[in-house]
Amino acid sequence: MRTSHMKLFFFIFLFHSFLFLVLSSSSRNFPVIPFDEGYSPLFGDHNLIIHSDSKTVHLSLDESSGSGFATHDIYLHGYFSASIKLPSDYTAGVVVAFYLSNGDMYEKNHDEIDFEFLGHIRGKDWRVQTNVYGNGSTHIGREERYGLWFDPSEDFHQYSILWTDTKIIFYVDDVPIREIKKTASMGGDFPSKPMTLYSTIWDASTWATNGGKYKVNYKYAPYIAEFSDFVLHGCAVDPIEHVTNCDSVQTSETVPSDVTQVERNKMDNFRLKHMTYSYCYDKTRYKVPLPECVIDSREAERLIKSDPVTFGNGRHRRGKRHHHQAKEAASF
């Protein structure tokens, strides 16, 4: 009897160990799909090149157009990932975006989860921005911006979004860089409706690089972004009935639901070293932080030192920040 109990205990231990590994797994453990199995061209077809093996796609921007692609299906929650190599050299004003949105279905109350790469000028780093909108809350920006510890134009790097009913986690090369937990105070601002996954490249000269100071210079065109290692690991939704094709048990066993302590340490370290902007500390924009903000004294001190006007109590004229209308106009 004792032996059988020990066997049972050992089996349970192994199962939970296996489940822990699955839940904390990276995109390498999820199936990579060919482009044409999950995606279709969206706009700028002449600037979209699909390699013959359907594993890599080039999106380019020139004076005639940007370009983009989108998933065949819409999804309610999941893990979405791609390896991206950004355009090199002078790329001011050029935005490469990897994001979830339902703006085509919900024009006035859409949701969105964004990775946006904001271009760069020589001698400066590329910046990446994350943002979320829920229920059309585009008047409330929840942006964060970061530098990167590598040059994203030299090689492919993996960018991933985990979206569940309680949290959103952004990853760069399997390092979580931001976690957004759903709180009661956020209300409908947390994305909750089915969304399509998009990838686009477009001209955002009016705001992207130093608030629009540096614009796209088409003598360096075409600007080419490369995509590969496509992962679509989510619950596809019937567009009419809005019924998912997978149950919650299957999803919970295959999609990571949290960050491990090791990953959390990496995230804290990344944010300490590389975060350059967070809406939670922007005192020129929000006199009182939004209710879901948890103020970290280390972050506050560092950001105030880097930009005392924005993050202190100084006066500052901010540029217009309604670029998503431009992105959606280009995308849909």
Side-chain angles (χ1 to χ4, degrees):
M1 191 72 176
R2 288 171 60 101
T3 302
S4 62
H5 281 177
M6 289 183 66
K7 288 181 178 179
L8 178 61
F9 174 81
F10 183 66
F11 173 79
I12 293 173
F13 172 78
L14 288 178
F15 175 76
H16 281 281
S17 298
F18 171 76
L19 188 59
F20 173 81
L21 289 173
V22 172
L23 292 177
S24 61
S25 60
S26 71
S27 59
R28 291 189 299 268
N29 295 320
F30 293 113
V32 173
I33 64 170
F35 173 84
D36 52 11
E37 186 175 309
Y39 297 88
S40 298
L42 182 65
F43 72 103
D45 288 7
H46 62 288
N47 280 340
L48 188 154
I49 298 174
I50 305 171
H51 285 209
S52 58
D53 60 6
S54 196
K55 292 181 179 179
T56 304
V57 175
H58 289 188
L59 294 182
S60 64
L61 166 69
D62 58 26
E63 287 185 278
S64 67
S65 175
S67 53
F69 57 84
T71 54
H72 299 155
D73 295 322
I74 59 175
Y75 296 90
L76 182 62
H77 308 139
Y79 186 89
F80 310 96
S81 185
S83 287
I84 305 173
K85 182 179 179 182
L86 297 180
S88 59
D89 205 1
Y90 180 94
T91 55
V94 177
V95 167
V96 177
F98 178 71
Y99 65 105
L100 291 151
S101 178
N102 50 31
D104 57 340
M105 294 182 290
Y106 303 96
E107 184 177 347
K108 297 182 186 275
N109 63 335
H110 83 283
D111 305 310
E112 198 163 301
I113 303 173
D114 297 333
F115 258 122
E116 293 173 309
F117 303 91
L118 304 180
H120 81 299
I121 56 177
R122 292 191 185 98
K124 302 293 184 181
D125 294 332
W126 272 89
R127 292 177 304 148
V128 59
Q129 174 169 284
T130 61
N131 200 4
V132 299
Y133 295 119
N135 202 32
S137 58
T138 53
H139 61 290
I140 300 175
R142 289 182 165 86
E143 301 97 332
E144 287 188 354
R145 289 190 286 275
Y146 328 88
L148 294 169
W149 65 93
F150 53 82
D151 183 343
S153 68
E154 289 185 347
D155 204 351
F156 285 93
H157 292 269
Q158 199 82 14
Y159 304 91
S160 310
I161 298 170
L162 169 66
W163 172 39
T164 75
D165 60 346
T166 59
K167 68 180 58 180
I168 297 163
I169 303 173
F170 295 89
Y171 297 84
V172 176
D173 285 342
D174 299 322
V175 175
I177 65 168
R178 183 182 185 184
E179 179 183 37
I180 302 167
K181 295 181 179 179
K182 182 179 181 179
T183 64
S185 60
M186 289 184 72
D189 288 359
F190 188 89
S192 59
K193 298 185 291 293
M195 292 191 276
T196 302
L197 182 68
Y198 298 93
S199 293
T200 58
I201 185 170
W202 54 289
D203 184 331
S205 291
T206 58
W207 65 270
T209 307
N210 288 44
K213 180 179 179 181
Y214 300 100
K215 305 184 185 304
V216 174
N217 187 337
Y218 283 102
K219 79 175 185 178
Y220 298 105
Y223 297 98
I224 299 173
E226 302 176 61
F227 294 77
S228 67
D229 297 335
F230 302 103
V231 174
L232 291 174
H233 199 79
C235 289
V237 176
D238 183 285
I240 298 176
E241 300 295 333
H242 281 197
V243 176
T244 63
N245 67 354
C246 57
D247 57 43
S248 59
V249 173
Q250 180 188 13
T251 304
S252 66
E253 289 181 350
T254 54
V255 174
S257 59
D258 208 344
V259 293
T260 66
Q261 186 57 52
V262 172
E263 289 175 325
R264 190 164 298 281
N265 292 341
K266 290 182 179 180
M267 179 166 63
D268 291 344
N269 187 54
F270 170 85
R271 296 173 68 80
L272 181 64
K273 291 182 178 180
H274 299 289
M275 188 170 73
T276 59
Y277 174 86
S278 170
Y279 73 101
C280 283
Y281 301 92
D282 189 340
K283 293 187 177 182
T284 65
R285 192 174 188 181
Y286 302 112
K287 300 305 179 187
V288 177
L290 295 182
E292 75 273 7
C293 289
V294 177
I295 301 301
D296 183 308
S297 59
R298 290 193 307 170
E299 286 182 344
E301 181 179 357
R302 185 176 60 80
L303 292 173
I304 287 174
K305 287 181 179 179
S306 67
D307 188 347
V309 174
T310 300
F311 300 111
N313 294 307
R315 300 177 64 186
H316 181 62
R317 180 177 63 85
R318 293 187 61 82
K320 194 173 181 181
R321 183 60 187 89
H322 298 299
H323 69 275
H324 276 276
Q325 293 177 358
K327 181 173 70 175
E328 288 165 7
S331 299
F332 300 117

